């Protein structure tokens, strides 16, 4: 059962950006999918191109360390640190933070360039999904047009591997929407690329806030 305070992050977002009210059900579905993923001990995988590649890195940064809330480490890992590295344990415990496992596919420069050169550039995300995607994980695939070929291939490979999928797109959703390639498609209400990206940022911030609240909130 997802916390009510976690789900409330959606309506808090819409209060700030009323135009996103058209996405409310998909936003709620995405929050549930991500929280269920983490409750099951799995990870979030993120990909996109250009500005959406930067967004992928941004999302991972918000999840893998503290965002809005303190993320003190629990007693079990604290005890393990005291046993394994007693001299450094206090320093670790003072500075390390609880993490929500997240992986960006855009940052694998050596792999992506080698695969693009040796095989097929538009399959580099799919190759990583094939190697690292596990059943129970979630892929957050970002494409302002909904037509990015490498993102579409990533979504297809995610299905092959039993990875749940969330797409973040513009108003039409493009091929991702028309072909039903994602379990949840959040289509922000604009068709212009830069304005789509302006909506994407508060949407994924909300997803990170909701996930953090679910596991580190009161």
């Amino acid at each position: 059962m997802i916390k009510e305070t976690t789900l409330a992050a959606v309506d808090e977002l819409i209060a700030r950006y009323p135009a996103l009210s058209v996405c409310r059900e998909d936003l709620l579905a995405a929050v549930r999918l991500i929280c269920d993923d983490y409750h099951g001990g799995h990870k979030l995988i993120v990909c996109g191109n250009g500005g959406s590649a930067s967004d992928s890195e941004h999302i991972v940064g918000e999840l893998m360390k503290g965002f809005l809330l303190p993320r003190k480490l629990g007693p079990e890992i604290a005890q393990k640190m005291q046993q394994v590295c007693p001299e450094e344990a206090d320093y670790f415990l003072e500075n390390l933070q609880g993490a929500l496992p997240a992986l960006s596919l855009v940052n694998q420069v050596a792999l992506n360039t080698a695969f693009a050169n040796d095989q097929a550039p538009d399959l580099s995300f799919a190759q990583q999904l094939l190697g690292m995607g596990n059943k129970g994980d979630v892929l957050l695939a970002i494409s302002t047009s909904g037509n990015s070929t490498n993102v579409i291939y990533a979504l297809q490979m995610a299905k092959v591997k039993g990875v749940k999928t969330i797409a973040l797109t513009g108003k039409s959703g493009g091929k991702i929407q028309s072909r039903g390639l994602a379990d949840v498609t959040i289509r922000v209400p604009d068709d212009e690329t830069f304005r789509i990206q302006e909506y994407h940022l508060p949407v994924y911030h909300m997803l990170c806030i909701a996930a953090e609240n679910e596991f580190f909130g009161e």
Side-chain angles (χ1 to χ4, degrees):
M1 180 68 74
I2 308 299
K3 294 177 185 175
E4 287 299 320
T5 53
T6 296
L7 297 175
V10 171
D11 288 328
E12 291 167 5
L13 169 70
I14 291 170
R16 297 195 308 276
Y17 299 90
L20 290 172
S21 61
V22 297
C23 306
R24 184 176 185 274
E25 292 308 310
D26 292 318
L27 293 167
L28 286 167
V31 168
R32 291 188 177 100
L33 205 56
I34 291 170
C35 290
D36 286 344
D37 167 46
Y38 283 135
H39 276 300
H42 304 292
K43 65 182 176 291
L44 183 72
I45 302 169
V46 197
C47 69
N49 299 301
S52 300
S54 298
D55 289 336
S56 300
E57 293 289 290
H58 189 163
I59 291 164
V60 169
E62 306 295 21
L63 292 171
M64 287 288 288
K65 64 169 195 57
F67 183 18
L68 298 184
L69 301 177
R71 299 191 189 180
K72 293 296 183 182
L73 301 182
E76 184 176 344
I77 194 165
Q79 183 180 23
K80 190 70 173 177
M81 287 178 180
Q82 294 288 355
Q83 293 170 349
V84 173
C85 43
E87 293 184 5
E88 293 82 12
D90 287 344
Y91 179 63
F92 287 175
L93 291 168
E94 182 181 352
N95 291 286
L96 293 177
Q97 300 172 312
L100 294 166
L103 173 69
S104 167
L105 301 184
V106 306
N107 200 31
Q108 309 301 318
V109 178
L111 171 59
N112 283 337
T113 53
F115 193 82
N117 184 68
D118 299 341
Q119 299 299 133
D122 56 4
L123 286 175
S124 61
F125 292 159
Q127 177 65 31
Q128 291 187 68
L129 260 299
L130 182 62
M132 293 185 288
N134 297 310
K135 187 174 183 178
D137 291 342
V138 170
L139 171 67
L140 175 55
I142 309 173
S143 172
T144 57
S145 67
N147 296 320
S148 306
T149 304
N150 57 350
V151 173
I152 286 172
Y153 290 159
L155 286 163
Q156 291 174 321
M157 187 52 60
K159 296 287 189 182
V160 170
K161 293 299 299 286
V163 173
K164 295 292 187 180
T165 53
I166 300 167
L168 186 53
T169 73
K171 186 176 182 179
S172 76
K175 294 177 183 176
I176 291 174
Q177 173 67 13
S178 65
R179 294 168 61 181
L181 295 175
D183 295 307
V184 176
T185 302
I186 301 168
R187 294 178 292 151
V188 300
D190 214 298
D191 295 312
E192 186 69 42
T193 297
F194 79 91
R195 288 196 291 265
I196 294 169
Q197 292 171 330
E198 288 173 355
Y199 278 129
H200 280 184
L201 189 148
V203 165
Y204 67 68
H205 265 173
M206 181 279 294
L207 295 175
C208 294
I209 288 167
E212 183 177 64
N213 180 79
E214 182 69 11
F215 294 91
F216 299 99
E218 299 256 333

